[in-house]
Amino acid sequence: MFAHSALTQVVIFLLRPTASYRALELDVPATWLGALSAAFAFVPLVVALPAGHWADRFGERWTLVAGAALMTVACLGFLPSNGGVAGLFAASALLGTGHLFAMVGQQALVANSSAPGRFDAAFGYYTFSASLGQLVGPLLIPVLGGSRAIPDTRAIFVGGAVLSGVLLLGSLFVRRTPARGGRTAESGGWAALLRLPGLPRALLTSCVVLASVDISLVYLPALGAERHLAASAVGVLLGLRAAASMTSRLFLGRLTPLVGRKRLLIVSTALGAAGLGVAALPVPLWALAVAVVVAGLGLGVGQPLTMSWLAESAPPGMRGRAMSLRLTGNRAGQVVLPGVVGLVAGGLGAAGVLAVTAAALAWTGFGARKLSVDPPGATT
């Protein structure tokens, strides 16, 4: 299942940058690239909740199959011979929908397969595998498409289709968890989830942390350009952030019993805020690198911790819907928060955006003090 997660992210992080290259080939205005990104996120925002119901009703395997099949069709839709600009936007929407189904299935499978008390470690390993795929995916662009300024997009999309086909084949062999809990799901419904104590705070924490990761990915290169840093230096900074997040996720299962889930969530959010806040200051490159590592360590924790809390809190047979509810909040945050932060920090440049994001993280961490997320027996 972790291999399935890693390969899913390899395909996504291979195809999304390539879709931008394909848009440039089609002379799509730069202002439309944001719309292309929104096409990836908008349809999944609408279908996330039904996908969770599908996972609870029919099992994770068929949710994963649906996701891989949609991703494969999207790869074929991206090909230069299929539809021009309209085909590009349609394929992006299909890719985002397939990615959403895959993540709902994966997260429901982790939740339904993990023993009580092991959710933090399981979701830490799960998000580590996803981060690994996100690291590998972009590295395949020059391997498949060459080293030109605009690579051979057709070759990359064909390669993505092959990888998606492997993902589809692997999905058919995923073991279905034995306990589906259908009666609980039907009797409780969405109302049972929405009544979970602390749910709004947990969803808010999750979406702000994820939006902060997206903002850092977009604005660190812009910050580098403002400060006249070489592209290679910015690449190293992004790599350090990803490696730091992977490290914190790998050891999450050991940290939670020692520190306590709530305290770890608060501390990690504070680290993310501190790291981005220092990065916004006019510091030398070495200090910027340290700040990015600190931010990466903090930002890597919020997602798996909120996943494990939801898995532990949701009734059996409703964990697919619980994960889809979290993903809905995340997608909404990815669509809304970057634009809001950009408006608030308008005219202040990339440093201003990072500073406002750091303030939002600090506010979220402060609010997490009232969130009851510690498993039984944890340090408080």
Side-chain angles (χ1 to χ4, degrees), residues 111 119-120 123 193-204 206 261-262 265 302-315 319 322-323 325-326 371-375:
F119 289 123
D120 294 311
F123 279 107
L193 283 178
L194 296 174
R195 286 195 299 266
L196 290 177
L199 179 69
R201 290 185 185 274
L203 295 182
L204 178 64
S206 179
R261 192 182 288 160
K262 180 167 71 173
L265 185 61
Q303 296 302 307
L305 275 187
T306 52
M307 288 182 202
S308 62
W309 176 78
L310 271 176
E312 191 171 66
S313 303
R319 286 169 176 158
M323 296 303 157
L325 187 62
R326 192 191 70 88
L371 184 60
S372 179
V373 294
D374 282 304

Side-chain angles (χ1 to χ4, degrees), residues 339-350:
V340 172
V341 168
L343 287 175
V344 172
L348 299 179

Side-chain angles (χ1 to χ4, degrees), residues 15 20 23-24 33 35-36 39 62-63 118 133 170 172 212 228 231 240 259 263 268 295-296 324 328 349 357 364 377:
L15 295 184
S20 296
L24 294 175
L33 294 181
L36 185 64
W62 297 113
T63 310
R118 294 287 298 167
L172 295 171
S212 299
H228 307 291
L240 287 173
V259 180
R263 182 176 295 173
S268 65
S324 69
T328 300
T357 304
T364 302

Side-chain angles (χ1 to χ4, degrees), residues 12 15-16 19 22 36 39-40 70-79 82 84-98 157:
I12 295 299
L15 295 184
R16 291 196 70 189
R22 177 62 185 145
L36 185 64
F40 177 85
L70 287 170
M71 289 167 64
T72 304
V73 174
C75 291
L76 300 177
F78 275 125
L79 293 175
N82 292 336
V85 174
L88 182 65
F89 277 81
S92 293
L94 279 177
L95 184 67
T97 306
F157 290 137

Side-chain angles (χ1 to χ4, degrees), residues 216-231:
S216 70
L217 288 175
V218 172
Y219 282 96
L220 274 177
L223 184 73
E226 290 178 0
R227 298 181 181 177
H228 307 291
L229 298 178

Side-chain angles (χ1 to χ4, degrees), residues 109-234:
L109 185 60
V110 174
N112 288 323
S113 301
S114 301
R118 294 287 298 167
F119 289 123
D120 294 311
F123 279 107
Y125 293 141
Y126 166 71
T127 51
F128 173 85
S129 67
S131 296
L132 183 61
Q134 293 168 8
L135 185 65
V136 172
L139 299 178
L140 293 180
I141 292 176
V143 174
L144 295 173
S147 57
R148 296 176 299 175
I150 296 182
D152 182 354
T153 58
R154 183 179 183 85
I156 297 174
F157 290 137
V158 170
V162 172
L163 292 175
S164 298
V166 173
L167 192 66
L168 177 58
L169 182 63
S171 301
L172 295 171
F173 294 95
V174 170
R175 176 179 58 86
R176 176 175 175 170
T177 54
R180 294 257 52 84
R183 289 189 298 273
T184 303
E186 293 303 322
S187 60
W190 289 105
L193 283 178
L194 296 174
R195 286 195 299 266
L196 290 177
L199 179 69
R201 290 185 185 274
L203 295 182
L204 178 64
T205 301
S206 179
C207 82
V208 171
V209 170
L210 184 60
S212 299
V213 172
D214 281 1
I215 289 169
S216 70
L217 288 175
V218 172
Y219 282 96
L220 274 177
L223 184 73
E226 290 178 0
R227 298 181 181 177
H228 307 291
L229 298 178
S232 58
V234 174

